[in-house]
Amino acid sequence: MAKRRKSSRKKKADSIDIKIIGMIIFSILLAILIYANSGELGAKLNEVLGGMMGVIRYILPIGLFAIAIEMAQNEDDDISYKLIQYSILIICIAIVMSVYQISQGNLEVSGDLSKILKKAYSLGTNNIGGGGIGTLAAVPLVRLLGNLGAVVVSIGVSIMLFAFVFGINISQLIRNIIEHLLVRHEENKQLREERRQERYEEMEVRRAEAMRNRQ
């Protein structure tokens, strides 16, 4: 029975290792195709991904590589769940980019959605906006919440997903920032007190010298 459990754990660990190695290789290959526009596949991939998500495509391989490294450190995480979270994170960032283009007047929120998406796809291939995917979600959000509301929701969800995907403890991070600010405040307060004391002592020395000179 113990041998079975040990064998099961070993198989699970081997499966995770294979997935992690596969993700690392895939992320490196994707980076070569996207950044170097390598070969016919790279050119076509840049066009399609650009049209779908705009300039956001450049962070795809970076995120996949980071997820693989994070998974290697914490093997209990579900890789499929991580990839789903990362996909939603990418979409949220693309939405922010698309909302920005809407606010700049490069995209409309009224009219035929298919025409809006075609224009967004065209802009995305030129590294402008969040492509078709970002615009598809941005248009109804802007119609419902306005530009500012859509940005706030998208950024809020992006921050939460970023923390989940890369294992960042937001509450601990906030506590650390607050503690750092409090420490800096106390240090500045102490420094001001020391400078005040130094000025007071200098004034006392000058006053004593003035008294001696008068005598």
Side-chain angles (χ1 to χ4, degrees):
M1 193 70 177
K3 288 183 178 180
R4 284 185 183 177
R5 283 197 296 267
K6 187 175 180 181
S7 175
S8 177
R9 284 196 298 268
K10 187 177 184 303
K11 286 181 180 178
K12 184 179 179 181
D14 290 342
S15 175
I16 292 172
D17 289 343
I18 291 170
K19 289 177 181 178
I20 291 171
I21 293 169
M23 276 188 65
I24 291 174
I25 294 172
F26 178 73
S27 64
I28 294 172
L29 177 60
L30 190 62
I32 292 171
L33 292 173
I34 291 176
Y35 298 142
N37 206 15
S38 180
E40 293 182 4
L41 179 59
K44 189 63 180 177
L45 190 65
N46 264 298
E47 179 186 344
V48 173
L49 289 179
M52 290 175 64
M53 62 186 67
V55 72
I56 306 301
R57 70 183 181 277
Y58 290 113
I59 70 172
L60 266 177
I62 299 173
L64 290 174
F65 185 83
I67 290 173
I69 299 302
E70 201 275 330
M71 291 289 297
Q73 295 174 334
N74 188 2
E75 295 182 354
D76 292 333
D77 290 340
D78 185 350
I79 193 167
S80 301
Y81 189 55
K82 286 282 185 183
L83 291 175
I84 291 171
Q85 289 177 332
Y86 183 58
S87 300
I88 299 172
L89 171 61
I90 291 293
I91 292 171
C92 288
I93 298 173
I95 292 171
V96 175
M97 301 293 290
S98 294
V99 172
Y100 176 75
Q101 293 305 314
I102 291 170
S103 68
Q104 293 297 303
N106 295 327
L107 290 172
E108 300 289 337
V109 293
S110 58
D112 186 17
L113 182 59
S114 61
K115 291 181 180 179
I116 298 172
L117 292 178
K118 283 180 182 178
K119 187 173 183 181
Y121 189 95
S122 177
L123 290 172
T125 57
N126 293 304
N127 296 330
I128 300 173
I133 291 176
T135 305
L136 181 63
V139 169
L141 268 179
V142 170
R143 288 176 180 174
L144 183 65
L145 303 173
N147 290 345
L148 184 58
V151 168
V152 169
V153 169
S154 302
I155 291 178
V157 174
S158 297
I159 292 172
M160 288 189 294
L161 287 171
F162 186 85
F164 291 148
V165 171
F166 299 109
I168 298 171
N169 189 327
I170 294 181
S171 60
Q172 184 61 48
L173 181 63
I174 293 173
R175 281 197 295 271
N176 291 341
I177 292 172
I178 293 173
E179 288 175 4
H180 177 72
L181 292 174
L182 290 174
V183 169
R184 287 291 300 274
H185 176 72
E186 288 298 323
E187 289 175 350
N188 291 335
K189 184 179 178 181
Q190 185 177 354
L191 185 61
R192 287 195 298 269
E193 288 292 334
E194 289 174 356
R195 288 176 178 173
R196 190 180 295 114
Q197 183 65 27
E198 288 174 359
R199 287 196 296 268
Y200 176 77
E201 291 174 356
E202 288 176 1
M203 289 175 62
E204 288 295 316
V205 170
R206 290 174 185 172
R207 191 176 300 164
E209 288 178 354
M211 291 291 291
R212 284 197 298 269
N213 292 334
R214 287 175 187 174
Q215 292 175 355

